[in-house]
Amino acid sequence: MKKILLASTVVLSMAGFAKTSVYAEESQVTKKTQTTDVVEKKEEATPKKEVPQVEPKKEPVVKEENSSKDDSSKKEKNEDVIKEGWRKEQGNWRFYENNQSVVNWKKIGGTWYYFDKNGIMLSNTIVDGYLIKGNGAMAENDWVKISDKWYYATASGKISHNKWEKIEGVWYYFDKNGIMLNNTIVDGYLIKGNGAMAENAWVKISDKWYYATASGKISRNKWEKIEGVWYYFDKDGVMLSRTIYNDYLFQGSGAMAENDWVKISDKWYYATASGKISRDKWEKIKGTWYYFNSDGVMASSQWKSDYYLKDSGAMAEKEWIFDKSYNSWFYLKSGGAYASREWVGSYYLKSGGYMAKNEWIFDKDYDAWYYLKDDGRYVTGTFTIKGKEYSFQNNGKWISEAKYYKVKPITAYVYSASGERLSYVSQGTIVSLGDAQSKKDSQIPVNISGLSGFMNKSDLVAIDKESEFVPHYTSDGKYFYHELSPYVSLRVAPHSSAMTIGKKYYSTDGLHFDSFTIENPFLFRDLTKPSNYSAAELDKVYSLMNIRDSRLAGKGAVFKEAEERYGVNALYLMAHSALESAWGRSQIAKDKNNFFGIAAYDSSPYTSAKKFDDVDKGILGAAKWIRENYIDRGRDHLGNKATGMNVLYASDPYWGEKIASIMMNINSKLGGKD
């Protein structure tokens, strides 16, 4: 018999939806939270479960019939089996009454089932508007999933369609076919991915975000403050993002930007604390200046008056920038304005900020001419411009008439006209221009410490006597001094009436001056002659000179032994060791007992210096070495770069003069016997 059902119609009133919990296959959509930049909102969901869970149908106790044919040779036929109740045949369920399979509706054990014309029980389908579950039972107040679509049957068993249903406190909507809707909007109400009507929740539909208030309806044409963050929804209820509305800037997350950057179509915008973009103004953001054009776009790679906006948009400060459009370098000072008519290190910025190059510049503040090379740096030393050679100081000033030069390499050589090496001088040595004519275009005639010769132009840079310290001589009324630097002064002779106190005197050899000559009592003394001082007197030197912690203190007897054994003046040996080892306190002296700078070459003094076993051997060994390599070869006096030991012993052109000055001071302390 056909099942007769009484169905009651449930009328849903849409006014005043109550806040409910969602009951469906998927979990609640995670609430949208504010992010600082582009943040995708994600709706998390878990599979929908049938509610309530219908227990799988148990197979009837009735045994399933398996019919089979007897052997063809048998002629007897078994009696027919009587079928009654549930039977599973060829994978399908049937129900038998009086040996006949039931068709249409049948209530069995208090549950309604439907059987087709062939008596097969139907499942997971809809018949006459009634919803049938997977176990064949008619659904009542229950969910059923058919072909990935969800349906709901009311207490009558019929599906809901074209209506709202409140199921376990949650509102759902079913279309004309009874399919539960999800991720959509119905009559302005927002439905989540699990089918539940959204309340105070976010839903993403086709990559667009919507928000439902407590009523379930979406926000349209209005601002909403959600969890402390402002959002704006357009006429369709779509959340705005990465856009500008009424000058308000929105992040990728949809949140209104506040004191924040947002990139829209490869252009950067900035919102102040109010949320509105900056237009036609400078903004200092985290200590850096930016400029925003009339459309609110951050300016970059361009000038704004005297200021330059870099690729990042940041205003350039205290840095160089190259502008391709002007094909020039510019320097932006502290504060951002470009440098103009001024120097920045070795570079000169002309009017308009352009860097000078391949041109002469006259700086009236320095009253000097400069030449700027192709790289913009000013020229130093000797430089050829349009086939003519010019000389420049180390500070770039052009020297119209060069008279002094400074040595550039660690060690540079002085040559004869024929090219023979005469001597060598150390880095920083000042040489004066000589009178002789160079035999080579690559050389300059020079005078240094009594020596006249030639030096390579590449080893020298011209200097201006007025702007750089040039060694000179001066008198204080008691002694005549050689001023080697602002910090080094050598006593070389007593004052004479021919000297003017405080006047600067210049000499190529330190002996001959314009109006007088001097005699250094120790510079040319024969070093083979013994000192008049005893070992005990020499031992007093260190205390008299206030020299502490010297490894040479108390070694007067060893100095006298060296004098007697090798015929080398003991006072000289003491003065020599004082200069080369800082009175026996240098690192080479401490580590290697080398007090005379033996083999301590300019390029690697510590590494190359010779090592002695102890202090005594350091003194005696040095005396022997000096005797054999210098005195026995005719260099028996200290001298200068023209004669004596100084020619080849040291690159310092005033090495001999310095030792002679120490000898003079010691002699003065000990009573003047030498």
Side-chain angles (χ1 to χ4, degrees), residues 152-409:
Y152 186 79
T154 63
S156 69
K158 281 208 168 186
I159 60 172
S160 292
H161 58 88
N162 277 334
K163 64 186 295 190
W164 289 93
E165 288 283 357
K166 193 172 188 179
I167 305 168
E168 297 191 5
V170 179
W171 286 102
Y172 300 85
Y173 189 85
F174 301 88
D175 68 8
K176 65 181 181 179
N177 298 313
I179 299 170
M180 180 198 78
L181 300 187
N182 68 332
N183 271 338
T184 190
I185 299 168
V186 177
D187 298 329
Y189 291 91
L190 186 61
I191 299 176
K192 298 190 285 186
N194 61 8
M197 185 188 77
E199 298 173 80
N200 294 320
W202 292 93
V203 176
K204 190 177 185 181
I205 304 173
S206 301
D207 293 325
K208 296 176 181 178
W209 283 97
Y210 301 81
Y211 185 78
T213 62
S215 70
K217 282 208 168 186
I218 60 173
S219 291
R220 299 178 188 265
N221 280 330
K222 62 185 296 191
W223 288 91
E224 289 282 357
K225 194 170 188 178
I226 304 169
E227 296 187 357
V229 179
W230 285 102
Y231 301 84
Y232 189 84
F233 301 88
D234 68 11
K235 62 183 177 61
D236 298 315
V238 177
M239 178 199 77
L240 300 187
S241 67
R242 286 199 187 282
T243 190
I244 299 167
Y245 174 77
N246 286 344
D247 270 0
Y248 288 94
L249 184 62
F250 296 91
Q251 301 172 338
S253 66
M256 184 188 77
E258 298 174 82
N259 294 321
D260 208 355
W261 292 92
V262 177
K263 191 178 186 181
I264 304 173
S265 301
D266 293 325
K267 296 177 181 177
W268 284 99
Y269 301 80
Y270 186 78
T272 61
S274 69
K276 286 199 170 187
I277 61 172
S278 291
R279 294 181 185 268
D280 270 330
K281 62 186 297 190
W282 287 93
E283 289 282 357
K284 194 171 188 178
I285 303 169
K286 294 182 179 180
T288 301
W289 285 100
Y290 299 84
Y291 185 81
F292 298 89
N293 297 322
S294 59
D295 55 2
V297 176
M298 178 196 76
S300 64
S301 303
Q302 68 180 75
W303 290 94
K304 183 63 181 178
S305 185
D306 294 346
Y307 306 88
Y308 188 79
L309 290 311
K310 300 186 289 184
D311 289 348
S312 66
M315 183 187 76
E317 285 189 272
K318 296 187 288 187
E319 61 185 294
W320 289 93
I321 65 101
F322 183 80
D323 192 325
K324 291 181 180 179
S325 60
Y326 293 105
N327 192 32
S328 178
W329 285 96
F330 298 82
Y331 185 79
L332 290 308
K333 301 184 293 184
S334 177
Y338 62 73
S340 177
R341 296 190 181 94
E342 59 188 289
W343 290 95
V344 177
S346 303
Y347 304 88
Y348 188 80
L349 288 310
K350 302 184 293 183
S351 176
Y354 299 88
M355 185 185 77
K357 60 180 182 178
N358 293 323
E359 59 186 297
W360 287 94
I361 291 291
F362 182 77
D363 190 328
K364 63 181 180 179
D365 293 332
Y366 293 101
D367 191 30
W369 284 94
Y370 300 80
Y371 188 80
L372 292 309
K373 298 182 292 184
D374 185 59
D375 62 359
R377 291 178 178 270
Y378 60 61
V379 171
T380 61
T382 304
F383 193 77
T384 301
I385 304 170
K386 295 182 179 181
K388 185 178 180 180
E389 200 170 75
Y390 296 85
S391 294
F392 300 85
Q393 299 180 45
N394 280 339
N395 59 11
K397 290 183 178 180
W398 173 54
I399 304 171
S400 58
E401 187 178 359
K403 292 184 178 180
Y404 294 93
Y405 297 86
K406 181 182 285 188
V407 175
K408 293 192 292 184

Side-chain angles (χ1 to χ4, degrees), residues 62 65 79-84 87 96 98-99:
V62 180
E65 179 183 358
E79 291 184 1
D80 291 338
V81 178
I82 298 174
K83 300 177 180 179
E84 196 71 28
R87 299 183 72 86
Y96 286 87
N98 300 321
N99 210 29

Side-chain angles (χ1 to χ4, degrees), residues 455-456 533 671:
M455 294 186 70
N456 294 329
Y533 295 109

